[in-house]
Amino acid sequence: METTGPWTRAAAAAGLLIDGEARPTVFARMSAKAAETGALNLGQGFPDDAPPAVVADAAVAAIRAGQNQYPPGLGESVLREAIAEHQSQWYGLRWDPASEVLVTTGATEALAATILALVEPGDEVVTLEPFYDQYAAIIALAGGVHRTVPITSRTGDDGDLVLDVAEADLRAAFSDRTRLVLVNTPHNPTGLMLWVGALQAIVDEAAAHDAIIVTDEVYEHLTFGPAHLPIATLPGAKDRTVSISSAGKTFSVTGWKIGWITARPELITAIMSLKQWLTYSSGAPFQPAVAAGLTMPTSAFHDLAQDLRERRDLLTDGLRSIGFRVSVPEAGYFAVADAAPFGETDAADLCERLPGEAGVVGIPLSAFYRDGQAGEASSYLRLAFCKSRATIEQSLERLETWAAPRR
Ligand code: PMP
Ligand code: GLN
């Protein structure tokens, strides 16, 4: 059976096949490496934590009660109502659960359906760089042209790594071909959050070029300082914004794949028209369970974030004392560490060796850049702190043993 002939040209043209093989995601590849070598997995971003009891109990109850068949294409009304209520309570954004909310198979399907529904061949799509790897794959499948805005890095006064986006660079990425700007805040892989200046610049440029804003907010509740600021709340933004989020990170249920979209009815309908041919619908018993999670008291969300913040500090303090240059993230699951102090200029190569040399798996930041574009970030790696304290502590001990003779 041919794997690289004319039959498979579409996948190959989008860069999804390499030498006739499905190009594995960096997360799948590095998790396989962890399993193979027995190394501690600070690579793929899935937590060790159990979901909140109300969420887990509601899923079990829904299965027992027989909620196991296809949910409606838009999603169960109890979940659509909980999503609308959550947006109103946390952000003051009002959405009609009947026409402005769509439940999806994770944020992954929400992103794919949105980009495929709204981007035509030759349209430009703007993202930050580094970016969550799925973006490039789907933009390529849609025939879009990927434009990027660099996240820059410098050394702060305290010696830490400081990451930032320049407003001028954001503005410069727009053109009359821009159809869509895909904003990821809080950001994967860096944990960077965008604030009002940068967000308003995006809204102004999107309006000037009549572009749609898509915002990926899957880490919205995992913030360690100021609360998340959704771009849809800015003046002039709501009507042109597709907001995407997901239950996976907030409730530690990455395997459930329940995501959602809020947007104006015209946009929801266009995305739904595509989504119904991808999965139609999914996750029947998990939908009411996520609804139960979204209606938890605000203090429960804060407790989840506080617990994660302590693990962030455990990892970043530990990495710093080992001798890595570290960026302390404001949100999310991941810290960025620079291995250059150990003479490691190529983190992609280091991450191949690290499971064997140290018994720890990390992801090179270059995996989140277009080929060859990582530049100064080539020596950076992404390490996940959504793992148990014991896993983080043991990883730090192993990294210290690895680092000692290299200092
Ligand atoms: N966007 C970002 C920025 C992510 O980090 C992830 C996955 N972790 C997703 C989207 C996909 O979310 P889901 O697991 O809900 O499909
Ligand atoms: N979002 C997760 C991460 O960044 C991975 C999700 C996946 O493996 N598809 O690690």
Side-chain angles (χ1 to χ4, degrees):
M1 168 91 163
E2 269 206 275
T3 50
T4 47
W7 288 2
T8 55
R9 203 155 49 204
L16 309 182
L17 282 173
I18 303 276
D19 298 334
E21 300 286 337
R23 179 162 57 89
T25 79
V26 69
F27 312 116
R29 211 166 57 72
M30 296 314 280
S31 280
K33 218 173 168 71
E36 218 173 270
T37 59
L40 296 167
N41 190 355
L42 303 189
Q44 194 172 27
F46 61 88
D48 286 343
D49 311 283
V54 283
V55 175
D57 291 350
V60 173
I63 291 172
R64 294 270 179 234
Q67 205 167 338
N68 299 304
Q69 312 312 326
Y70 299 126
L74 283 177
E76 292 289 356
S77 57
V78 67
L79 177 54
R80 281 186 280 133
E81 278 156 25
I83 291 163
E85 180 53 34
H86 169 273
Q87 291 270 312
S88 165
Q89 187 196 335
W90 284 84
Y91 309 127
L93 286 166
R94 304 214 174 270
W95 300 107
D96 172 12
S99 62
E100 297 184 314
V101 179
L102 173 63
V103 177
T104 58
T105 305
T108 303
E109 187 194 39
L111 286 157
T114 300
I115 294 168
L116 291 171
L118 303 178
V119 174
E120 291 182 281
D123 285 347
E124 294 184 1
V125 180
V126 176
T127 75
L128 298 171
E129 187 169 36
F131 50 82
Y132 182 54
D133 62 345
Q134 185 204 1
Y135 301 171
I138 307 292
I139 293 167
L141 270 180
V145 177
H146 193 176
R147 300 267 177 241
T148 61
V149 179
I151 292 179
T152 57
S153 59
R154 63 185 165 81
T155 305
D157 296 340
D158 53 5
D160 275 355
L161 194 56
V162 180
L163 305 175
D164 210 352
V165 184
E167 205 182 298
D169 289 340
L170 273 174
R171 292 187 185 277
F174 284 80
S175 81
D176 288 339
R177 304 283 310 158
T178 308
R179 164 50 40 133
L180 202 140
V181 52
L182 174 43
V183 186
N184 175 210
T185 179
H187 182 257
N188 181 7
T190 63
L192 187 73
M193 292 173 78
L194 297 186
W195 300 114
V196 66
L199 293 174
Q200 193 62 55
I202 293 169
V203 176
D204 294 346
E205 292 299 327
H209 296 94
D210 199 23
I212 300 162
I213 301 165
V214 177
T215 171
D216 176 346
E217 308 187 333
V218 302
Y219 299 99
E220 64 185 311
H221 284 294
L222 306 181
T223 61
F224 312 132
H228 168 59
L229 177 60
I231 197 167
T233 61
L234 269 67
K238 189 173 182 233
D239 287 350
R240 62 172 68 251
T241 299
V242 175
S243 302
I244 293 174
S245 195
S246 154
K249 307 294 154 35
T250 303
F251 304 122
S252 303
V253 290
T254 59
W256 285 12
K257 301 301 283 191
I258 302 290
W260 53 86
I261 301 177
T262 49
R264 286 300 189 202
E266 180 195 346
L267 289 165
I268 289 286
T269 302
I271 298 164
M272 169 65 188
S273 74
L274 204 297
K275 179 244 171 344
Q276 69 182 346
W277 304 119
L278 292 177
T279 56
Y280 177 55
S281 68
S282 60
F286 302 125
Q287 294 200 20
V290 170
L294 288 173
T295 42
M296 290 191 313
T298 51
S299 60
F301 288 83
H302 292 142
D303 291 349
L304 294 174
Q306 179 58 27
D307 183 53
L308 191 58
R309 185 198 163 120
E310 286 165 19
R311 285 177 280 157
R312 174 201 68 175
D313 292 344
L314 180 63
L315 180 66
T316 54
D317 290 349
L319 290 171
R320 199 187 287 114
S321 49
I322 290 169
F324 288 94
R325 196 162 63 121
V326 188
S327 158
V328 180
E330 301 173 276
Y333 272 176
F334 312 107
V336 173
D338 183 7
F342 302 105
E344 298 285 353
T345 51
D346 181 358
D349 174 59
L350 174 62
C351 288
E352 295 300 324
R353 289 187 277 113
L354 212 52
E357 288 183 4
V360 175
V361 164
I363 308 267
L365 218 70
S366 56
F368 302 88
Y369 287 80
R370 291 164 302 154
D371 277 349
Q373 298 298 309
E376 64 191 356
S378 299
S379 57
Y380 300 174
L381 45 156
R382 190 194 80 169
L383 296 168
F385 51 81
C386 52
K387 310 296 179 179
S388 71
R389 281 177 176 70
T391 299
I392 296 171
E393 278 161 3
Q394 215 184 334
S395 300
L396 289 168
E397 280 165 25
R398 291 181 180 191
L399 287 170
E400 168 58 28
T401 306
W402 174 85
R406 295 172 167 83
R407 273 198 284 263

